[in-house]
């Protein structure tokens, strides 16, 4: 017990040291930075949302037209929201977001919350058409339901987004946490593609899992991937991501749980041995597993600046 308390204290101290070192000239409010340190490496959506909700826009959204709950497939959860500028436009690149939730929870829009409309508003503000996707969940819909739904959503966007001002030849998809796993699976497993070569201009994976064989599976992973670990290597994305020609961006955060940081480093190293070259890799200072996405469309543009650079340059 004494050793456990000491280890916990050392870990907490290391977080404080890490984040304080990053805090100089930071766009993150001081009180938010302090509270993120208090939360630590836990994945805590409610407490993190309390910090960022006051910084986000509230409906109605000026200058933005929103089309809610568009059906993209046959399942009840095959729904997406499309965010467009109020004034008609054409040939905008498309930014698809895939939420997380440990494979068993989550939604594109949380009740009485600005999340994840915040990501869509940022997309429109920066020249994209935003598409916010939800998908089937485990245990009712285990592997490969999530990637199948993403493939169907990409097909819908390819076919339908032109009428909404988007360019189907410039589709970027970003996934967070479990959503990043679905994006990684889609890019790495071409058998799920419903459009030629996957149809993506770039894929962005934020705090994902890429090698399931070294991940200590929790309830969510077991519900989605199964209790039998023997297929985990085949269902992992690491090898396929090394082989893909789709441009990749990966991100994690300083206060992410250690497993996500390890997965980030693993893919970063592996991608540099790939024919397409190193992924665009970003380790976000001061941020946690949830703040990295809840902060989008605030004054803290450290992640979104990198996304815009990636979307502009393709690397």
């Amino acid at each position: 017990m004494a050793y456990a308390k000491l280890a916990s204290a050392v870990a907490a101290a290391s977080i404080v040291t890490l984040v304080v070192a990053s805090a100089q000239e930071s766009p993150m409010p001081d009180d938010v930075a302090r509270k993120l340190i208090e939360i630590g490496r836990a994945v805590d959506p409610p407490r993190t949302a309390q910090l960022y909700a006051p910084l986000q826009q509230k409906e109605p959204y000026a200058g933005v037209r929103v089309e809610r709950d568009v059906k993209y497939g046959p399942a009840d959860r095959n729904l997406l929201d499309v965010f467009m500028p109020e004034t008609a436009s054409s040939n905008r690149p498309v930014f698809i977001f895939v939420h997380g939730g440990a494979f068993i929870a989550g939604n594109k829009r949380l009740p009485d919350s600005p999340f994840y409309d915040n990501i869509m508003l940022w997309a429109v503000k920066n020249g994209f058409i935003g598409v916010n996707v939800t998908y089937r969940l485990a245990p009712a819909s285990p592997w490969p339901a999530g990637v199948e739904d993403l493939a169907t959503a990409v097909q819908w966007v390819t076919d339908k987004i032109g009428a909404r001002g988007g360019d189907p030849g410039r589709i970027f998809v970003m996934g967070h946490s479990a959503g990043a796993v679905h994006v990684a699976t889609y890019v790495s497993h071409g058998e799920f593609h419903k459009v030629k070569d996957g149809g993506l201009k770039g894929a962005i994976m934020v705090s994902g899992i890429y090698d399931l064989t070294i991940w200590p599976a929790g309830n969510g992973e077991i519900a989605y991937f199964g209790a039998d670990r023997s297929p985990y290597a085949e269902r992992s994305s690491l090898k396929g991501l090394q082989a893909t020609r789709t441009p990749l961006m990966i991100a994690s955060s300083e206060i992410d749980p250690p497993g996500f940081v390890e997965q980030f480093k693993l893919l970063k190293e592996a991608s540099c041995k790939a024919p397409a070259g190193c992924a665009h890799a970003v380790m976000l200072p001061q941020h946690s597993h949830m703040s990295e996405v809840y902060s989008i469309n605030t004054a803290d543009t450290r992640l979104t600046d990198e996304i815009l650079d990636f979307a502009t340059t393709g690397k």
Side-chain angles (χ1 to χ4, degrees), residues 105-249:
N107 213 320
K108 58 184 172 60
R109 189 183 188 211
L110 306 178
D112 302 316
S113 164
F115 311 111
Y116 294 100
D117 280 5
N118 64 307
I119 298 174
M120 297 293 98
L121 294 171
W122 168 85
V124 173
K125 193 181 298 181
N126 286 276
F128 296 89
I129 298 295
V131 179
N132 202 1
V133 175
T134 197
Y135 50 87
R136 290 173 291 166
L137 300 173
S141 300
W143 162 275
V147 66
E148 288 175 339
D149 287 354
L150 178 54
T152 303
V154 171
Q155 182 182 44
W156 185 95
V157 169
T158 301
D159 293 342
K160 307 289 188 183
I161 208 64
R164 294 164 169 85
D167 180 355
R170 290 188 294 161
I171 299 172
F172 296 87
V173 61
M174 169 179 157
H176 173 245
S177 198
V181 178
H182 295 319
V183 172
T185 307
Y186 178 75
V187 173
S188 63
H189 289 71
E191 64 270 23
F192 294 112
H193 295 169
K194 297 186 175 185
V195 298
K196 184 179 179 182
D197 298 326
L200 302 182
K201 195 73 172 175
I204 302 155
M205 293 158 287
V206 181
S207 295
I209 305 167
Y210 315 109
D211 186 350
L212 294 166
T213 66
I214 62 170
W215 184 265
N219 293 337
E221 289 82 13
I222 291 170
Y224 183 66
F225 291 105
D228 178 7
R229 295 183 65 92
S230 59
Y232 277 23
E234 180 185 348
R235 294 176 181 180
S236 294
S237 60
L238 189 64
K239 288 183 180 179
L241 292 174
Q242 278 187 287
T244 187
R245 290 288 180 179
T246 300
L248 303 178
M249 175 177 164

Side-chain angles (χ1 to χ4, degrees), residues 25 34 77 90 105 151 156-157 170 202 204 226-227 246 297 300:
E25 300 182 8
R34 285 194 299 270
R77 284 180 60 91
S90 62
W156 185 95
V157 169
R170 290 188 294 161
I204 302 155
T246 300
N297 206 40
D300 189 344

Side-chain angles (χ1 to χ4, degrees), residues 80-97:
L80 55 81
D81 297 340
V82 184
F83 281 59
M84 302 155 279
E86 201 166 52
T87 305
S89 63
S90 62
N91 295 320
R92 282 183 164 225
V94 184
F95 193 86
I96 301 174
F97 178 68

Side-chain angles (χ1 to χ4, degrees), residues 35-121:
K35 288 172 183 175
L36 288 177
I37 293 171
E38 291 173 9
I39 294 171
R41 296 191 184 275
V43 178
D44 194 333
R47 289 178 68 192
T48 313
Q50 288 177 2
L51 303 179
Y52 280 95
L55 305 180
Q56 295 291 354
Q57 290 178 250
K58 294 179 173 59
E59 291 188 277
Y61 304 130
V64 178
R65 184 162 60 93
V66 183
E67 192 176 353
R68 296 277 188 195
D69 294 329
V70 180
K71 286 286 288 180
Y72 70 84
D76 289 345
R77 284 180 60 91
N78 286 165
L79 299 171
L80 55 81
D81 297 340
V82 184
F83 281 59
M84 302 155 279
E86 201 166 52
T87 305
S89 63
S90 62
N91 295 320
R92 282 183 164 225
V94 184
F95 193 86
I96 301 174
F97 178 68
V98 187
H99 65 81
F103 306 102
I104 55 175
N107 213 320
K108 58 184 172 60
R109 189 183 188 211
L110 306 178
D112 302 316
S113 164
F115 311 111
Y116 294 100
D117 280 5
N118 64 307
I119 298 174
M120 297 293 98
L121 294 171

